[in-house]
């Protein structure tokens, strides 16, 4: 969530992996994308466009 708090724009899964210093591999990116999708389904994040995630602002 700190990654999204510091970001001005919506982020892709690859950008989140880079910000968290995770390995940039297809498996890591896909796992991160699935986690972001889950957070969006729960209303914690918003998916503004397919593949672009942002934190909901009050």
């Amino acid at each position: 969530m700190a990654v999204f708090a510091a970001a001005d724009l919506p982020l892709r899964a690859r950008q989140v992996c880079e910000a968290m210093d995770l390995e940039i591999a297809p498996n890591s990116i896909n796992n991160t994308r699935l986690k972001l999708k889950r957070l969006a389904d729960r209303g914690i994040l918003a998916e503004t466009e397919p593949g672009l995630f942002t934190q909901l602002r009050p």
Side-chain angles (χ1 to χ4, degrees), residues 33-48:
R33 185 184 59 78
L34 291 173
K35 290 175 186 177
L36 294 174
K37 283 266 195 201
R38 227 176 286 136
L39 289 172
D41 288 342
R42 293 181 180 168
I44 298 169
L45 294 178
E47 190 172 9
T48 57

Side-chain angles (χ1 to χ4, degrees), residues 1 4 39-40 42-48 53-58:
M1 296 309 296
F4 287 101
L39 289 172
R42 293 181 180 168
I44 298 169
L45 294 178
E47 190 172 9
T48 57
F53 298 91
T54 187
Q55 187 174 13
L56 293 173
R57 307 281 180 188

Side-chain angles (χ1 to χ4, degrees), residues 3 12-13 17 19 28 42 46 50:
V3 172
R12 296 196 176 277
C17 288
S28 298
R42 293 181 180 168

